[in-house]
Amino acid sequence: FSSAAAGLSSLSDLFQNSPMNLKYLFLEGCSINDEGLHALAEVAANQCKVLHLDENESITSTGLSYLSSSIRSYSCRVETLYLQNITIGDDGLEVLAQGLADNKSVRSLHWVDLDS
């Protein structure tokens, strides 16, 4: 369990215990990995309208599976999702597509793969 994941877990706890009307969550270039995204995904998807996860190069298809499950939820509020400069790969895109297929809130996805 990384220290970044521990910090994101604390942030997740804050969101759960103190619901707020948070519109934007910018976590660009914060060294978030799969564990950190697991700790944050559900709460962020339920609290934020704009979620920036750009340039968190340690996120893999495993982390995206957590995010996918969260955006699939009926309680998801995310309208805009930024995933630029993350090496998502084919597996990650497949997982993300599964979440987006059932999503009713996401209107805009910003994605540029590092391998492109």
Side-chain angles (χ1 to χ4, degrees), residues 49 77-81 100 103-110:
K49 290 189 176 191
R77 295 182 62 219
V78 175
E79 295 175 2
T80 305
L81 182 58
L100 290 170
N103 177 276
K104 304 295 184 213
S105 65
V106 175
R107 303 286 180 251
S108 180
L109 172 64
H110 300 264

mmCIF file of all heavy atoms in Angstrom, residues 49 77-81 100 103-110:
data_model
loop_
_atom_site.group_PDB
_atom_site.id
_atom_site.type_symbol
_atom_site.label_atom_id
_atom_site.label_comp_id
_atom_site.label_asym_id
_atom_site.label_seq_id
_atom_site.Cartn_x
_atom_site.Cartn_y
_atom_site.Cartn_z
ATOM 1 N N LYS A 49 -18.172 16.434 -10.871
ATOM 2 C CA LYS A 49 -18.664 16.526 -12.238
ATOM 3 C C LYS A 49 -17.520 16.475 -13.242
ATOM 4 O O LYS A 49 -17.697 16.008 -14.359
ATOM 5 C CB LYS A 49 -19.477 17.803 -12.426
ATOM 6 C CG LYS A 49 -20.797 17.755 -11.697
ATOM 7 C CD LYS A 49 -21.670 18.913 -12.058
ATOM 8 C CE LYS A 49 -23.016 18.749 -11.368
ATOM 9 N NZ LYS A 49 -23.996 19.694 -11.868
ATOM 10 N N ARG A 77 -21.780 11.063 -10.980
ATOM 11 C CA ARG A 77 -22.059 12.452 -11.367
ATOM 12 C C ARG A 77 -21.065 12.975 -12.396
ATOM 13 O O ARG A 77 -21.206 14.090 -12.899
ATOM 14 C CB ARG A 77 -22.006 13.350 -10.138
ATOM 15 C CG ARG A 77 -23.080 13.058 -9.113
ATOM 16 C CD ARG A 77 -23.008 14.020 -7.933
ATOM 17 N NE ARG A 77 -23.226 15.389 -8.383
ATOM 18 C CZ ARG A 77 -22.569 16.448 -7.911
ATOM 19 N NH1 ARG A 77 -21.685 16.305 -6.966
ATOM 20 N NH2 ARG A 77 -22.809 17.658 -8.361
ATOM 21 N N VAL A 78 -20.033 12.199 -12.725
ATOM 22 C CA VAL A 78 -18.985 12.679 -13.627
ATOM 23 C C VAL A 78 -19.567 12.962 -15.004
ATOM 24 O O VAL A 78 -20.215 12.108 -15.602
ATOM 25 C CB VAL A 78 -17.821 11.661 -13.745
ATOM 26 C CG1 VAL A 78 -16.807 12.107 -14.782
ATOM 27 C CG2 VAL A 78 -17.144 11.472 -12.399
ATOM 28 N N GLU A 79 -19.330 14.188 -15.470
ATOM 29 C CA GLU A 79 -19.751 14.583 -16.807
ATOM 30 C C GLU A 79 -18.567 14.676 -17.759
ATOM 31 O O GLU A 79 -18.713 14.453 -18.953
ATOM 32 C CB GLU A 79 -20.475 15.924 -16.757
ATOM 33 C CG GLU A 79 -21.780 15.864 -15.985
ATOM 34 C CD GLU A 79 -22.444 17.228 -15.844
ATOM 35 O OE1 GLU A 79 -21.922 18.235 -16.385
ATOM 36 O OE2 GLU A 79 -23.504 17.288 -15.185
ATOM 37 N N THR A 80 -17.395 15.026 -17.214
ATOM 38 C CA THR A 80 -16.192 15.176 -18.026
ATOM 39 C C THR A 80 -15.056 14.409 -17.355
ATOM 40 O O THR A 80 -14.794 14.591 -16.160
ATOM 41 C CB THR A 80 -15.794 16.656 -18.176
ATOM 42 O OG1 THR A 80 -16.915 17.376 -18.705
ATOM 43 C CG2 THR A 80 -14.613 16.827 -19.098
ATOM 44 N N LEU A 81 -14.391 13.581 -18.130
ATOM 45 C CA LEU A 81 -13.331 12.720 -17.616
ATOM 46 C C LEU A 81 -12.072 12.948 -18.446
ATOM 47 O O LEU A 81 -12.091 12.836 -19.672
ATOM 48 C CB LEU A 81 -13.776 11.263 -17.710
ATOM 49 C CG LEU A 81 -12.858 10.178 -17.188
ATOM 50 C CD1 LEU A 81 -12.538 10.383 -15.714
ATOM 51 C CD2 LEU A 81 -13.501 8.814 -17.408
ATOM 52 N N LEU A 100 -18.352 2.957 -19.622
ATOM 53 C CA LEU A 100 -19.015 4.035 -20.349
ATOM 54 C C LEU A 100 -20.291 3.562 -21.039
ATOM 55 O O LEU A 100 -21.230 4.342 -21.208
ATOM 56 C CB LEU A 100 -18.059 4.655 -21.370
ATOM 57 C CG LEU A 100 -16.909 5.458 -20.772
ATOM 58 C CD1 LEU A 100 -15.900 5.819 -21.853
ATOM 59 C CD2 LEU A 100 -17.428 6.701 -20.081
ATOM 60 N N ASN A 103 -23.019 4.047 -18.632
ATOM 61 C CA ASN A 103 -22.996 5.328 -17.943
ATOM 62 C C ASN A 103 -24.022 6.286 -18.536
ATOM 63 O O ASN A 103 -24.217 6.335 -19.743
ATOM 64 C CB ASN A 103 -21.592 5.933 -18.045
ATOM 65 C CG ASN A 103 -21.509 7.281 -17.417
ATOM 66 O OD1 ASN A 103 -21.831 8.272 -18.045
ATOM 67 N ND2 ASN A 103 -21.100 7.329 -16.167
ATOM 68 N N LYS A 104 -24.658 7.053 -17.666
ATOM 69 C CA LYS A 104 -25.662 8.023 -18.105
ATOM 70 C C LYS A 104 -25.200 9.469 -17.944
ATOM 71 O O LYS A 104 -25.879 10.383 -18.382
ATOM 72 C CB LYS A 104 -26.964 7.839 -17.304
ATOM 73 C CG LYS A 104 -27.547 6.451 -17.371
ATOM 74 C CD LYS A 104 -27.997 6.092 -18.759
ATOM 75 C CE LYS A 104 -28.661 4.735 -18.748
ATOM 76 N NZ LYS A 104 -28.468 3.963 -19.935
ATOM 77 N N SER A 105 -24.046 9.700 -17.314
ATOM 78 C CA SER A 105 -23.649 11.073 -17.006
ATOM 79 C C SER A 105 -22.470 11.599 -17.822
ATOM 80 O O SER A 105 -22.412 12.791 -18.106
ATOM 81 C CB SER A 105 -23.331 11.207 -15.512
ATOM 82 O OG SER A 105 -22.192 10.428 -15.189
ATOM 83 N N VAL A 106 -21.508 10.756 -18.195
ATOM 84 C CA VAL A 106 -20.312 11.237 -18.889
ATOM 85 C C VAL A 106 -20.680 11.739 -20.275
ATOM 86 O O VAL A 106 -21.280 11.018 -21.071
ATOM 87 C CB VAL A 106 -19.217 10.144 -18.982
ATOM 88 C CG1 VAL A 106 -18.034 10.642 -19.815
ATOM 89 C CG2 VAL A 106 -18.737 9.750 -17.592
ATOM 90 N N ARG A 107 -20.359 12.998 -20.523
ATOM 91 C CA ARG A 107 -20.651 13.634 -21.804
ATOM 92 C C ARG A 107 -19.387 13.893 -22.611
ATOM 93 O O ARG A 107 -19.438 14.091 -23.809
ATOM 94 C CB ARG A 107 -21.361 14.979 -21.592
ATOM 95 C CG ARG A 107 -22.639 14.890 -20.795
ATOM 96 C CD ARG A 107 -23.753 14.288 -21.628
ATOM 97 N NE ARG A 107 -24.976 14.193 -20.870
ATOM 98 C CZ ARG A 107 -25.503 13.045 -20.439
ATOM 99 N NH1 ARG A 107 -24.912 11.918 -20.680
ATOM 100 N NH2 ARG A 107 -26.621 13.031 -19.767
ATOM 101 N N SER A 108 -18.232 13.916 -21.908
ATOM 102 C CA SER A 108 -16.986 14.271 -22.574
ATOM 103 C C SER A 108 -15.839 13.448 -21.985
ATOM 104 O O SER A 108 -15.673 13.397 -20.769
ATOM 105 C CB SER A 108 -16.728 15.769 -22.379
ATOM 106 O OG SER A 108 -15.541 16.165 -22.996
ATOM 107 N N LEU A 109 -15.071 12.828 -22.877
ATOM 108 C CA LEU A 109 -13.895 12.050 -22.479
ATOM 109 C C LEU A 109 -12.699 12.616 -23.223
ATOM 110 O O LEU A 109 -12.709 12.716 -24.456
ATOM 111 C CB LEU A 109 -14.084 10.575 -22.839
ATOM 112 C CG LEU A 109 -12.869 9.666 -22.653
ATOM 113 C CD1 LEU A 109 -12.472 9.578 -21.185
ATOM 114 C CD2 LEU A 109 -13.155 8.283 -23.219
ATOM 115 N N HIS A 110 -11.671 13.014 -22.471
ATOM 116 C CA HIS A 110 -10.442 13.537 -23.051
ATOM 117 C C HIS A 110 -9.359 12.495 -22.826
ATOM 118 O O HIS A 110 -8.981 12.232 -21.683
ATOM 119 C CB HIS A 110 -10.055 14.865 -22.386
ATOM 120 C CG HIS A 110 -11.100 15.906 -22.549
ATOM 121 N ND1 HIS A 110 -11.061 16.840 -23.547
ATOM 122 C CD2 HIS A 110 -12.242 16.139 -21.852
ATOM 123 C CE1 HIS A 110 -12.129 17.617 -23.459
ATOM 124 N NE2 HIS A 110 -12.860 17.205 -22.440
#
